[in-house]
Amino acid sequence: GPCFLQIFNPPLRLAIVGAVHIAQALAPIAGLAGYAVTIIDPRGAFATEVRFPDVTLLDDWPDEAMESFAPDRRSAVVALTHDPKLDDPALDVALKSEAFYIAALGSRRTHAGRVERLKALGHADKAIERIHGPAGLDIGAVSPAEIAISVMAEMTRVLRQPGAAAMRQAAA
């Protein structure tokens, strides 16, 4: 007889490293867009349920927290602390995963330093190129909320138009 095929995609997930102001804006926006959000920050004073209602809070060191988050191809990872001691271990784990979007805040100079440190950890250039840095589409964002919107927009474009970013890079 007839059969019905229903496809169940695993949920979209977002790991945000750094319980900072931008994270406070990004978490609810991502939630509205259908992501299950996890905030990773070992600094307990920042990652509180008052500041981050309805999200998973992990206060382990970022590499351990990322191992338990276990990013897959339906996962995004955004590092927001500006602190290499926190961002780098998370990016290290993310780069070894199939996460569809990996991004980190910081200027181009900050990003250049990050690239060198990740190379020292054994990551190839091709892998490091997966990191969107500075994070977000260039929309002239200034406030934490605007930066969160630019990151959410870039994450959405990478999810929905996987080829678009590669074509833009080739054209540049």
Side-chain angles (χ1 to χ4, degrees), residues 63-115:
D63 53 350
E64 288 169 30
M66 283 289 296
E67 296 287 358
S68 63
F69 176 79
D72 58 23
R73 61 188 178 77
R74 303 272 295 165
S75 305
V77 178
V78 178
L80 301 177
T81 72
H82 290 287
D83 182 347
K85 288 197 303 294
L86 298 175
D87 287 350
D88 288 4
L91 294 170
D92 180 35
V93 175
L95 287 175
K96 294 170 186 166
S97 79
E98 287 187 67
F100 76 87
Y101 179 76
I102 303 171
L105 277 191
S107 65
R108 293 190 197 294
R109 186 167 48 179
T110 308
H111 189 64
R114 180 185 298 130
V115 167

Side-chain angles (χ1 to χ4, degrees), residues 101-137:
Y101 179 76
I102 303 171
L105 277 191
S107 65
R108 293 190 197 294
R109 186 167 48 179
T110 308
H111 189 64
R114 180 185 298 130
V115 167
E116 291 310 313
R117 291 189 306 273
L118 289 167
K119 276 186 193 172
L121 288 175
H123 293 285
D125 290 343
K126 192 94 186 117
I128 296 170
E129 281 168 21
R130 291 173 62 200
I131 302 173
H132 295 261
L137 296 183

